Amino acid sequence: MFTKPTNKAAFKLRPFTPDDAASLTNNANNKLIAQFMTNAFPHPYTIENAEAFIQFATKDTPIHLFAIEVDGKAVGGIGVHPQADIHCKSAELGYWLGEAYWGGGIMTQAVLQMIEFAFKTYPITRLFARPFGNNKASQIVLEKTGFKLEATIEKNIFKNGQYQDELIYAIRR
């Protein structure tokens, strides 16, 4: 679907397929990833979790949840979640990447592609992301791609027995 090289690896964003389950499981089953995700992203992450997620990710039209593919394997995910009701002009961005692929610029380039996709596909004026306050890598990706910090909500996240700040970053059309 989309292809952009980075300094470490070429990648593309594409819809998930059932064949992605094993690679998805191998990359997602990582406590270092799960610690920054909602509880809907389980740890441990099993093949059954991957299969259920792939069914979920491929049910909507247009597809808005994409695999991050490197060397033919799904090594992460990125998606846009359009909001409803009074928030209908906003969409939420979410993403994760397998640890072996961190630091190579893949996520920065993937987020840039999703910004373009979101504003082209949906009648939104705002794309936002909500990283945990202790997820510095995600904050850096968002800042590099033009997102601005809109809010810090202190101790709003309770994960793994600890409170974390929730940050709200956004970029506008």
Side-chain angles (χ1 to χ4, degrees), residues 85-102:
D85 199 359
I86 62 171
H87 301 287
C88 64
K89 294 298 182 181
S90 291
E92 183 173 7
L93 175 69
Y95 51 84
W96 68 273
L97 185 64
E99 183 179 6
Y101 303 92
W102 293 356

Side-chain angles (χ1 to χ4, degrees), residues 8-12 14 23 68-75 101:
K8 193 171 191 179
F11 76 97
K12 71 178 181 178
R14 58 153 175 86
S23 181
I68 300 172
E69 178 187 295
V70 174
D71 296 329
K73 305 245 186 245
V75 301
Y101 303 92

